[in-house]
PDB file of all heavy atoms in Angstrom:
ATOM      1  N   GLY A   1      83.828 211.807  35.921  1.00 88.00           N
ATOM      2  CA  GLY A   1      83.936 210.528  35.224  1.00 88.00           C
ATOM      3  C   GLY A   1      83.909 210.652  33.708  1.00 88.00           C
ATOM      4  O   GLY A   1      83.864 209.639  33.013  1.00 88.00           O
ATOM      5  N   GLY A   2      83.934 211.866  33.187  1.00 93.00           N
ATOM      6  CA  GLY A   2      83.884 212.070  31.733  1.00 93.00           C
ATOM      7  C   GLY A   2      82.495 212.504  31.299  1.00 93.00           C
ATOM      8  O   GLY A   2      81.950 213.486  31.795  1.00 93.00           O
ATOM      9  N   GLU A   3      81.905 211.743  30.405  1.00 94.00           N
ATOM     10  CA  GLU A   3      80.556 212.045  29.940  1.00 94.00           C
ATOM     11  C   GLU A   3      79.489 211.462  30.842  1.00 94.00           C
ATOM     12  O   GLU A   3      78.310 211.806  30.756  1.00 94.00           O
ATOM     13  CB  GLU A   3      80.356 211.536  28.501  1.00 94.00           C
ATOM     14  CG  GLU A   3      81.061 212.364  27.452  1.00 94.00           C
ATOM     15  CD  GLU A   3      80.592 213.818  27.453  1.00 94.00           C
ATOM     16  OE1 GLU A   3      79.367 214.042  27.369  1.00 94.00           O
ATOM     17  OE2 GLU A   3      81.448 214.721  27.558  1.00 94.00           O
ATOM     18  N   ASN A   4      79.883 210.541  31.714  1.00 96.00           N
ATOM     19  CA  ASN A   4      78.948 209.899  32.634  1.00 96.00           C
ATOM     20  C   ASN A   4      79.381 210.105  34.081  1.00 96.00           C
ATOM     21  O   ASN A   4      80.567 210.256  34.364  1.00 96.00           O
ATOM     22  CB  ASN A   4      78.855 208.397  32.348  1.00 96.00           C
ATOM     23  CG  ASN A   4      78.313 208.102  30.983  1.00 96.00           C
ATOM     24  OD1 ASN A   4      77.276 208.630  30.574  1.00 96.00           O
ATOM     25  ND2 ASN A   4      79.019 207.268  30.216  1.00 96.00           N
ATOM     26  N   ILE A   5      78.423 210.110  34.973  1.00 98.00           N
ATOM     27  CA  ILE A   5      78.724 210.209  36.397  1.00 98.00           C
ATOM     28  C   ILE A   5      79.528 208.990  36.833  1.00 98.00           C
ATOM     29  O   ILE A   5      79.187 207.846  36.510  1.00 98.00           O
ATOM     30  CB  ILE A   5      77.418 210.301  37.214  1.00 98.00           C
ATOM     31  CG1 ILE A   5      76.784 211.694  37.037  1.00 98.00           C
ATOM     32  CG2 ILE A   5      77.675 210.028  38.691  1.00 98.00           C
ATOM     33  CD1 ILE A   5      75.461 211.850  37.730  1.00 98.00           C
ATOM     34  N   GLY A   6      80.603 209.248  37.559  1.00 98.00           N
ATOM     35  CA  GLY A   6      81.447 208.170  38.056  1.00 98.00           C
ATOM     36  C   GLY A   6      81.625 208.230  39.557  1.00 98.00           C
ATOM     37  O   GLY A   6      80.949 208.990  40.269  1.00 98.00           O
ATOM     38  N   TYR A   7      82.563 207.450  40.033  1.00 98.00           N
ATOM     39  CA  TYR A   7      82.824 207.301  41.467  1.00 98.00           C
ATOM     40  C   TYR A   7      83.101 208.653  42.133  1.00 98.00           C
ATOM     41  O   TYR A   7      82.514 208.982  43.156  1.00 98.00           O
ATOM     42  CB  TYR A   7      84.015 206.358  41.630  1.00 98.00           C
ATOM     43  CG  TYR A   7      84.399 206.001  43.038  1.00 98.00           C
ATOM     44  CD1 TYR A   7      83.926 204.822  43.625  1.00 98.00           C
ATOM     45  CD2 TYR A   7      85.268 206.795  43.778  1.00 98.00           C
ATOM     46  CE1 TYR A   7      84.308 204.459  44.911  1.00 98.00           C
ATOM     47  CE2 TYR A   7      85.653 206.446  45.055  1.00 98.00           C
ATOM     48  CZ  TYR A   7      85.177 205.277  45.620  1.00 98.00           C
ATOM     49  OH  TYR A   7      85.555 204.927  46.892  1.00 98.00           O
ATOM     50  N   LEU A   8      84.009 209.446  41.539  1.00 98.00           N
ATOM     51  CA  LEU A   8      84.381 210.717  42.144  1.00 98.00           C
ATOM     52  C   LEU A   8      83.228 211.714  42.140  1.00 98.00           C
ATOM     53  O   LEU A   8      83.100 212.528  43.060  1.00 98.00           O
ATOM     54  CB  LEU A   8      85.605 211.299  41.433  1.00 98.00           C
ATOM     55  CG  LEU A   8      86.242 212.541  42.057  1.00 98.00           C
ATOM     56  CD1 LEU A   8      86.587 212.315  43.537  1.00 98.00           C
ATOM     57  CD2 LEU A   8      87.495 212.953  41.297  1.00 98.00           C
ATOM     58  N   ASP A   9      82.370 211.645  41.122  1.00 98.00           N
ATOM     59  CA  ASP A   9      81.178 212.502  41.118  1.00 98.00           C
ATOM     60  C   ASP A   9      80.291 212.208  42.318  1.00 98.00           C
ATOM     61  O   ASP A   9      79.740 213.121  42.938  1.00 98.00           O
ATOM     62  CB  ASP A   9      80.377 212.280  39.829  1.00 98.00           C
ATOM     63  CG  ASP A   9      81.123 212.729  38.587  1.00 98.00           C
ATOM     64  OD1 ASP A   9      81.164 213.941  38.332  1.00 98.00           O
ATOM     65  OD2 ASP A   9      81.682 211.866  37.899  1.00 98.00           O
ATOM     66  N   LEU A  10      80.151 210.929  42.642  1.00 98.00           N
ATOM     67  CA  LEU A  10      79.316 210.558  43.786  1.00 98.00           C
ATOM     68  C   LEU A  10      79.958 211.010  45.098  1.00 98.00           C
ATOM     69  O   LEU A  10      79.264 211.452  46.020  1.00 98.00           O
ATOM     70  CB  LEU A  10      79.085 209.046  43.801  1.00 98.00           C
ATOM     71  CG  LEU A  10      78.396 208.455  42.566  1.00 98.00           C
ATOM     72  CD1 LEU A  10      78.089 206.974  42.794  1.00 98.00           C
ATOM     73  CD2 LEU A  10      77.128 209.208  42.220  1.00 98.00           C
ATOM     74  N   VAL A  11      81.282 210.895  45.168  1.00 98.00           N
ATOM     75  CA  VAL A  11      81.981 211.340  46.370  1.00 98.00           C
ATOM     76  C   VAL A  11      81.782 212.839  46.594  1.00 98.00           C
ATOM     77  O   VAL A  11      81.543 213.298  47.713  1.00 98.00           O
ATOM     78  CB  VAL A  11      83.491 211.022  46.258  1.00 98.00           C
ATOM     79  CG1 VAL A  11      84.269 211.658  47.415  1.00 98.00           C
ATOM     80  CG2 VAL A  11      83.708 209.511  46.261  1.00 98.00           C
ATOM     81  N   LEU A  12      81.854 213.604  45.515  1.00 98.00           N
ATOM     82  CA  LEU A  12      81.747 215.061  45.599  1.00 98.00           C
ATOM     83  C   LEU A  12      80.310 215.556  45.455  1.00 98.00           C
ATOM     84  O   LEU A  12      80.061 216.767  45.507  1.00 98.00           O
ATOM     85  CB  LEU A  12      82.612 215.709  44.513  1.00 98.00           C
ATOM     86  CG  LEU A  12      84.125 215.561  44.722  1.00 98.00           C
ATOM     87  CD1 LEU A  12      84.871 215.911  43.438  1.00 98.00           C
ATOM     88  CD2 LEU A  12      84.600 216.450  45.853  1.00 98.00           C
ATOM     89  N   GLY A  13      79.375 214.643  45.295  1.00 98.00           N
ATOM     90  CA  GLY A  13      77.999 215.038  45.041  1.00 98.00           C
ATOM     91  C   GLY A  13      77.394 215.938  46.095  1.00 98.00           C
ATOM     92  O   GLY A  13      76.552 216.792  45.786  1.00 98.00           O
ATOM     93  N   TRP A  14      77.836 215.811  47.338  1.00 98.00           N
ATOM     94  CA  TRP A  14      77.294 216.634  48.436  1.00 98.00           C
ATOM     95  C   TRP A  14      77.532 218.128  48.193  1.00 98.00           C
ATOM     96  O   TRP A  14      76.775 218.962  48.675  1.00 98.00           O
ATOM     97  CB  TRP A  14      77.909 216.217  49.767  1.00 98.00           C
ATOM     98  CG  TRP A  14      79.381 216.507  49.879  1.00 98.00           C
ATOM     99  CD1 TRP A  14      80.404 215.720  49.415  1.00 98.00           C
ATOM    100  CD2 TRP A  14      79.995 217.648  50.459  1.00 98.00           C
ATOM    101  NE1 TRP A  14      81.620 216.300  49.679  1.00 98.00           N
ATOM    102  CE2 TRP A  14      81.399 217.500  50.311  1.00 98.00           C
ATOM    103  CE3 TRP A  14      79.514 218.804  51.081  1.00 98.00           C
ATOM    104  CZ2 TRP A  14      82.311 218.443  50.771  1.00 98.00           C
ATOM    105  CZ3 TRP A  14      80.414 219.742  51.540  1.00 98.00           C
ATOM    106  CH2 TRP A  14      81.804 219.562  51.380  1.00 98.00           C
ATOM    107  N   ILE A  15      78.587 218.444  47.429  1.00 98.00           N
ATOM    108  CA  ILE A  15      78.890 219.851  47.150  1.00 98.00           C
ATOM    109  C   ILE A  15      77.762 220.506  46.368  1.00 98.00           C
ATOM    110  O   ILE A  15      77.508 221.708  46.506  1.00 98.00           O
ATOM    111  CB  ILE A  15      80.227 219.948  46.383  1.00 98.00           C
ATOM    112  CG1 ILE A  15      81.386 219.544  47.296  1.00 98.00           C
ATOM    113  CG2 ILE A  15      80.458 221.353  45.824  1.00 98.00           C
ATOM    114  CD1 ILE A  15      82.725 219.411  46.579  1.00 98.00           C
ATOM    115  N   SER A  16      77.054 219.726  45.567  1.00 97.00           N
ATOM    116  CA  SER A  16      76.028 220.287  44.682  1.00 97.00           C
ATOM    117  C   SER A  16      74.774 220.739  45.432  1.00 97.00           C
ATOM    118  O   SER A  16      74.133 221.712  45.044  1.00 97.00           O
ATOM    119  CB  SER A  16      75.647 219.250  43.611  1.00 97.00           C
ATOM    120  OG  SER A  16      74.984 218.147  44.190  1.00 97.00           O
ATOM    121  N   TYR A  17      74.411 220.050  46.499  1.00 97.00           N
ATOM    122  CA  TYR A  17      73.150 220.355  47.194  1.00 97.00           C
ATOM    123  C   TYR A  17      73.321 220.622  48.679  1.00 97.00           C
ATOM    124  O   TYR A  17      72.591 221.414  49.267  1.00 97.00           O
ATOM    125  CB  TYR A  17      72.151 219.200  47.021  1.00 97.00           C
ATOM    126  CG  TYR A  17      72.488 217.998  47.876  1.00 97.00           C
ATOM    127  CD1 TYR A  17      71.883 217.829  49.131  1.00 97.00           C
ATOM    128  CD2 TYR A  17      73.427 217.063  47.463  1.00 97.00           C
ATOM    129  CE1 TYR A  17      72.228 216.754  49.939  1.00 97.00           C
ATOM    130  CE2 TYR A  17      73.773 215.988  48.269  1.00 97.00           C
ATOM    131  CZ  TYR A  17      73.168 215.842  49.496  1.00 97.00           C
ATOM    132  OH  TYR A  17      73.517 214.794  50.311  1.00 97.00           O
ATOM    133  N   PHE A  18      74.322 219.987  49.304  1.00 98.00           N
ATOM    134  CA  PHE A  18      74.483 220.071  50.756  1.00 98.00           C
ATOM    135  C   PHE A  18      75.333 221.261  51.172  1.00 98.00           C
ATOM    136  O   PHE A  18      75.015 221.936  52.156  1.00 98.00           O
ATOM    137  CB  PHE A  18      75.118 218.771  51.265  1.00 98.00           C
ATOM    138  CG  PHE A  18      74.949 218.519  52.735  1.00 98.00           C
ATOM    139  CD1 PHE A  18      73.683 218.392  53.290  1.00 98.00           C
ATOM    140  CD2 PHE A  18      76.051 218.394  53.572  1.00 98.00           C
ATOM    141  CE1 PHE A  18      73.523 218.148  54.654  1.00 98.00           C
ATOM    142  CE2 PHE A  18      75.904 218.151  54.922  1.00 98.00           C
ATOM    143  CZ  PHE A  18      74.632 218.025  55.465  1.00 98.00           C
ATOM    144  N   LEU A  19      76.390 221.533  50.423  1.00 98.00           N
ATOM    145  CA  LEU A  19      77.274 222.639  50.773  1.00 98.00           C
ATOM    146  C   LEU A  19      76.551 223.987  50.779  1.00 98.00           C
ATOM    147  O   LEU A  19      76.752 224.776  51.713  1.00 98.00           O
ATOM    148  CB  LEU A  19      78.488 222.678  49.837  1.00 98.00           C
ATOM    149  CG  LEU A  19      79.500 223.789  50.120  1.00 98.00           C
ATOM    150  CD1 LEU A  19      80.041 223.724  51.548  1.00 98.00           C
ATOM    151  CD2 LEU A  19      80.658 223.733  49.121  1.00 98.00           C
ATOM    152  N   PRO A  20      75.686 224.302  49.784  1.00 98.00           N
ATOM    153  CA  PRO A  20      74.968 225.582  49.851  1.00 98.00           C
ATOM    154  C   PRO A  20      74.120 225.743  51.113  1.00 98.00           C
ATOM    155  O   PRO A  20      74.005 226.847  51.647  1.00 98.00           O
ATOM    156  CB  PRO A  20      74.095 225.570  48.589  1.00 98.00           C
ATOM    157  CG  PRO A  20      74.805 224.661  47.645  1.00 98.00           C
ATOM    158  CD  PRO A  20      75.415 223.598  48.516  1.00 98.00           C
ATOM    159  N   VAL A  21      73.556 224.648  51.604  1.00 98.00           N
ATOM    160  CA  VAL A  21      72.757 224.712  52.832  1.00 98.00           C
ATOM    161  C   VAL A  21      73.672 224.895  54.034  1.00 98.00           C
ATOM    162  O   VAL A  21      73.354 225.650  54.961  1.00 98.00           O
ATOM    163  CB  VAL A  21      71.892 223.447  52.990  1.00 98.00           C
ATOM    164  CG1 VAL A  21      70.922 223.608  54.155  1.00 98.00           C
ATOM    165  CG2 VAL A  21      71.115 223.149  51.718  1.00 98.00           C
ATOM    166  N   MET A  22      74.825 224.231  54.020  1.00 98.00           N
ATOM    167  CA  MET A  22      75.811 224.427  55.083  1.00 98.00           C
ATOM    168  C   MET A  22      76.265 225.877  55.137  1.00 98.00           C
ATOM    169  O   MET A  22      76.398 226.459  56.223  1.00 98.00           O
ATOM    170  CB  MET A  22      77.018 223.517  54.858  1.00 98.00           C
ATOM    171  CG  MET A  22      76.748 222.034  54.985  1.00 98.00           C
ATOM    172  SD  MET A  22      78.195 221.038  54.513  1.00 98.00           S
ATOM    173  CE  MET A  22      79.353 221.466  55.819  1.00 98.00           C
ATOM    174  N   GLU A  23      76.503 226.452  53.965  1.00 98.00           N
ATOM    175  CA  GLU A  23      76.943 227.848  53.897  1.00 98.00           C
ATOM    176  C   GLU A  23      75.903 228.792  54.509  1.00 98.00           C
ATOM    177  O   GLU A  23      76.251 229.709  55.253  1.00 98.00           O
ATOM    178  CB  GLU A  23      77.231 228.232  52.449  1.00 98.00           C
ATOM    179  CG  GLU A  23      78.467 227.541  51.861  1.00 98.00           C
ATOM    180  CD  GLU A  23      78.647 227.845  50.394  1.00 98.00           C
ATOM    181  OE1 GLU A  23      77.630 228.001  49.684  1.00 98.00           O
ATOM    182  OE2 GLU A  23      79.800 227.913  49.940  1.00 98.00           O
ATOM    183  N   GLU A  24      74.648 228.534  54.191  1.00 98.00           N
ATOM    184  CA  GLU A  24      73.584 229.376  54.748  1.00 98.00           C
ATOM    185  C   GLU A  24      73.458 229.175  56.249  1.00 98.00           C
ATOM    186  O   GLU A  24      73.346 230.153  57.009  1.00 98.00           O
ATOM    187  CB  GLU A  24      72.248 229.081  54.065  1.00 98.00           C
ATOM    188  CG  GLU A  24      71.117 229.940  54.596  1.00 98.00           C
ATOM    189  CD  GLU A  24      69.784 229.717  53.886  1.00 98.00           C
ATOM    190  OE1 GLU A  24      69.777 229.056  52.827  1.00 98.00           O
ATOM    191  OE2 GLU A  24      68.754 230.197  54.393  1.00 98.00           O
ATOM    192  N   ALA A  25      73.495 227.939  56.684  1.00 98.00           N
ATOM    193  CA  ALA A  25      73.327 227.656  58.113  1.00 98.00           C
ATOM    194  C   ALA A  25      74.473 228.249  58.945  1.00 98.00           C
ATOM    195  O   ALA A  25      74.256 228.774  60.032  1.00 98.00           O
ATOM    196  CB  ALA A  25      73.241 226.149  58.339  1.00 98.00           C
ATOM    197  N   GLY A  26      75.694 228.172  58.410  1.00 97.00           N
ATOM    198  CA  GLY A  26      76.855 228.603  59.165  1.00 97.00           C
ATOM    199  C   GLY A  26      77.368 229.987  58.822  1.00 97.00           C
ATOM    200  O   GLY A  26      78.370 230.437  59.376  1.00 97.00           O
ATOM    201  N   ASN A  27      76.681 230.648  57.863  1.00 97.00           N
ATOM    202  CA  ASN A  27      77.048 232.012  57.473  1.00 97.00           C
ATOM    203  C   ASN A  27      78.507 232.094  57.011  1.00 97.00           C
ATOM    204  O   ASN A  27      79.327 232.853  57.558  1.00 97.00           O
ATOM    205  CB  ASN A  27      76.795 232.995  58.616  1.00 97.00           C
ATOM    206  CG  ASN A  27      76.900 234.453  58.157  1.00 97.00           C
ATOM    207  OD1 ASN A  27      76.658 234.758  56.985  1.00 97.00           O
ATOM    208  ND2 ASN A  27      77.272 235.331  59.061  1.00 97.00           N
ATOM    209  N   PHE A  28      78.855 231.281  56.020  1.00 97.00           N
ATOM    210  CA  PHE A  28      80.173 231.347  55.399  1.00 97.00           C
ATOM    211  C   PHE A  28      79.984 231.048  53.911  1.00 97.00           C
ATOM    212  O   PHE A  28      78.898 230.660  53.475  1.00 97.00           O
ATOM    213  CB  PHE A  28      81.148 230.352  56.041  1.00 97.00           C
ATOM    214  CG  PHE A  28      80.827 228.905  55.764  1.00 97.00           C
ATOM    215  CD1 PHE A  28      81.534 228.173  54.828  1.00 97.00           C
ATOM    216  CD2 PHE A  28      79.816 228.252  56.474  1.00 97.00           C
ATOM    217  CE1 PHE A  28      81.241 226.842  54.576  1.00 97.00           C
ATOM    218  CE2 PHE A  28      79.515 226.919  56.239  1.00 97.00           C
ATOM    219  CZ  PHE A  28      80.228 226.207  55.276  1.00 97.00           C
ATOM    220  N   HIS A  29      81.036 231.228  53.128  1.00 96.00           N
ATOM    221  CA  HIS A  29      80.897 231.044  51.688  1.00 96.00           C
ATOM    222  C   HIS A  29      82.173 230.461  51.108  1.00 96.00           C
ATOM    223  O   HIS A  29      83.268 230.956  51.386  1.00 96.00           O
ATOM    224  CB  HIS A  29      80.566 232.380  50.994  1.00 96.00           C
ATOM    225  CG  HIS A  29      80.067 232.233  49.593  1.00 96.00           C
ATOM    226  ND1 HIS A  29      78.983 231.461  49.257  1.00 96.00           N
ATOM    227  CD2 HIS A  29      80.529 232.754  48.427  1.00 96.00           C
ATOM    228  CE1 HIS A  29      78.782 231.522  47.967  1.00 96.00           C
ATOM    229  NE2 HIS A  29      79.713 232.286  47.413  1.00 96.00           N
ATOM    230  N   ILE A  30      82.004 229.429  50.300  1.00 96.00           N
ATOM    231  CA  ILE A  30      83.146 228.766  49.665  1.00 96.00           C
ATOM    232  C   ILE A  30      83.066 228.843  48.145  1.00 96.00           C
ATOM    233  O   ILE A  30      84.003 229.264  47.483  1.00 96.00           O
ATOM    234  CB  ILE A  30      83.246 227.285  50.117  1.00 96.00           C
ATOM    235  CG1 ILE A  30      83.593 227.199  51.611  1.00 96.00           C
ATOM    236  CG2 ILE A  30      84.294 226.540  49.291  1.00 96.00           C
ATOM    237  CD1 ILE A  30      83.557 225.804  52.168  1.00 96.00           C
ATOM    238  N   ILE A  31      81.918 228.459  47.585  1.00 95.00           N
ATOM    239  CA  ILE A  31      81.793 228.363  46.134  1.00 95.00           C
ATOM    240  C   ILE A  31      81.291 229.666  45.544  1.00 95.00           C
ATOM    241  O   ILE A  31      80.108 229.997  45.635  1.00 95.00           O
ATOM    242  CB  ILE A  31      80.840 227.210  45.735  1.00 95.00           C
ATOM    243  CG1 ILE A  31      81.335 225.880  46.297  1.00 95.00           C
ATOM    244  CG2 ILE A  31      80.730 227.129  44.212  1.00 95.00           C
ATOM    245  CD1 ILE A  31      82.651 225.414  45.731  1.00 95.00           C
ATOM    246  N   ASP A  32      82.188 230.411  44.925  1.00 95.00           N
ATOM    247  CA  ASP A  32      81.846 231.597  44.148  1.00 95.00           C
ATOM    248  C   ASP A  32      81.810 231.179  42.681  1.00 95.00           C
ATOM    249  O   ASP A  32      82.834 230.738  42.141  1.00 95.00           O
ATOM    250  CB  ASP A  32      82.902 232.680  44.379  1.00 95.00           C
ATOM    251  CG  ASP A  32      82.609 233.960  43.604  1.00 95.00           C
ATOM    252  OD1 ASP A  32      81.722 233.942  42.736  1.00 95.00           O
ATOM    253  OD2 ASP A  32      83.274 234.974  43.865  1.00 95.00           O
ATOM    254  N   PRO A  33      80.646 231.301  42.026  1.00 95.00           N
ATOM    255  CA  PRO A  33      80.549 230.875  40.623  1.00 95.00           C
ATOM    256  C   PRO A  33      81.564 231.539  39.701  1.00 95.00           C
ATOM    257  O   PRO A  33      81.984 230.946  38.699  1.00 95.00           O
ATOM    258  CB  PRO A  33      79.118 231.276  40.236  1.00 95.00           C
ATOM    259  CG  PRO A  33      78.368 231.319  41.521  1.00 95.00           C
ATOM    260  CD  PRO A  33      79.362 231.794  42.535  1.00 95.00           C
ATOM    261  N   LEU A  34      81.973 232.772  40.024  1.00 97.00           N
ATOM    262  CA  LEU A  34      82.956 233.457  39.194  1.00 97.00           C
ATOM    263  C   LEU A  34      84.356 232.874  39.378  1.00 97.00           C
ATOM    264  O   LEU A  34      85.150 232.819  38.437  1.00 97.00           O
ATOM    265  CB  LEU A  34      82.975 234.961  39.529  1.00 97.00           C
ATOM    266  CG  LEU A  34      81.693 235.729  39.215  1.00 97.00           C
ATOM    267  CD1 LEU A  34      81.831 237.190  39.639  1.00 97.00           C
ATOM    268  CD2 LEU A  34      81.360 235.635  37.732  1.00 97.00           C
ATOM    269  N   LYS A  35      84.641 232.422  40.599  1.00 96.00           N
ATOM    270  CA  LYS A  35      85.947 231.838  40.886  1.00 96.00           C
ATOM    271  C   LYS A  35      85.977 230.350  40.549  1.00 96.00           C
ATOM    272  O   LYS A  35      87.046 229.808  40.216  1.00 96.00           O
ATOM    273  CB  LYS A  35      86.306 232.036  42.365  1.00 96.00           C
ATOM    274  CG  LYS A  35      87.714 231.601  42.707  1.00 96.00           C
ATOM    275  CD  LYS A  35      88.074 231.953  44.136  1.00 96.00           C
ATOM    276  CE  LYS A  35      89.494 231.541  44.459  1.00 96.00           C
ATOM    277  NZ  LYS A  35      89.900 231.891  45.853  1.00 96.00           N
ATOM    278  N   PHE A  36      84.818 229.693  40.635  1.00 98.00           N
ATOM    279  CA  PHE A  36      84.752 228.254  40.379  1.00 98.00           C
ATOM    280  C   PHE A  36      83.722 227.958  39.284  1.00 98.00           C
ATOM    281  O   PHE A  36      82.708 227.277  39.541  1.00 98.00           O
ATOM    282  CB  PHE A  36      84.383 227.511  41.667  1.00 98.00           C
ATOM    283  CG  PHE A  36      85.386 227.661  42.776  1.00 98.00           C
ATOM    284  CD1 PHE A  36      85.111 228.465  43.878  1.00 98.00           C
ATOM    285  CD2 PHE A  36      86.597 227.015  42.728  1.00 98.00           C
ATOM    286  CE1 PHE A  36      86.014 228.611  44.916  1.00 98.00           C
ATOM    287  CE2 PHE A  36      87.528 227.141  43.765  1.00 98.00           C
ATOM    288  CZ  PHE A  36      87.243 227.943  44.858  1.00 98.00           C
ATOM    289  N   PRO A  37      83.938 228.444  38.064  1.00 98.00           N
ATOM    290  CA  PRO A  37      82.949 228.232  37.002  1.00 98.00           C
ATOM    291  C   PRO A  37      82.792 226.764  36.603  1.00 98.00           C
ATOM    292  O   PRO A  37      81.678 226.324  36.281  1.00 98.00           O
ATOM    293  CB  PRO A  37      83.485 229.066  35.839  1.00 98.00           C
ATOM    294  CG  PRO A  37      84.955 229.181  36.102  1.00 98.00           C
ATOM    295  CD  PRO A  37      85.090 229.247  37.588  1.00 98.00           C
ATOM    296  N   ALA A  38      83.893 226.012  36.605  1.00 98.00           N
ATOM    297  CA  ALA A  38      83.815 224.604  36.196  1.00 98.00           C
ATOM    298  C   ALA A  38      83.029 223.790  37.222  1.00 98.00           C
ATOM    299  O   ALA A  38      82.200 222.945  36.870  1.00 98.00           O
ATOM    300  CB  ALA A  38      85.218 224.029  36.006  1.00 98.00           C
ATOM    301  N   ILE A  39      83.287 224.039  38.501  1.00 98.00           N
ATOM    302  CA  ILE A  39      82.538 223.340  39.553  1.00 98.00           C
ATOM    303  C   ILE A  39      81.069 223.741  39.499  1.00 98.00           C
ATOM    304  O   ILE A  39      80.171 222.894  39.670  1.00 98.00           O
ATOM    305  CB  ILE A  39      83.137 223.638  40.941  1.00 98.00           C
ATOM    306  CG1 ILE A  39      84.501 222.971  41.076  1.00 98.00           C
ATOM    307  CG2 ILE A  39      82.200 223.165  42.052  1.00 98.00           C
ATOM    308  CD1 ILE A  39      85.224 223.297  42.358  1.00 98.00           C
ATOM    309  N   SER A  40      80.800 225.010  39.274  1.00 98.00           N
ATOM    310  CA  SER A  40      79.419 225.486  39.211  1.00 98.00           C
ATOM    311  C   SER A  40      78.667 224.824  38.063  1.00 98.00           C
ATOM    312  O   SER A  40      77.498 224.439  38.207  1.00 98.00           O
ATOM    313  CB  SER A  40      79.404 227.011  39.048  1.00 98.00           C
ATOM    314  OG  SER A  40      79.989 227.641  40.169  1.00 98.00           O
TER     315      SER A  40
END
């Protein structure tokens, strides 16, 4: 949303806290900080 959290940030918010737990539970990996520095 720019300098402030917006609609799309809320939609994607699960990636910040939920996806890492999914990765651990299911033994897979999507977000590599080196490949996805902006998302990280």
Side-chain angles (χ1 to χ4, degrees):
E3 286 301 307
N4 297 310
I5 287 177
Y7 184 96
L8 188 53
D9 294 282
L10 301 186
V11 172
L12 291 166
W14 67 276
I15 292 171
S16 67
Y17 75 95
F18 198 61
L19 181 57
V21 188
M22 293 174 67
E23 291 175 326
E24 181 177 348
N27 191 27
F28 69 102
H29 195 56
I30 293 174
I31 302 295
D32 180 349
L34 295 178
K35 187 174 181 179
F36 298 106
I39 290 175
S40 297

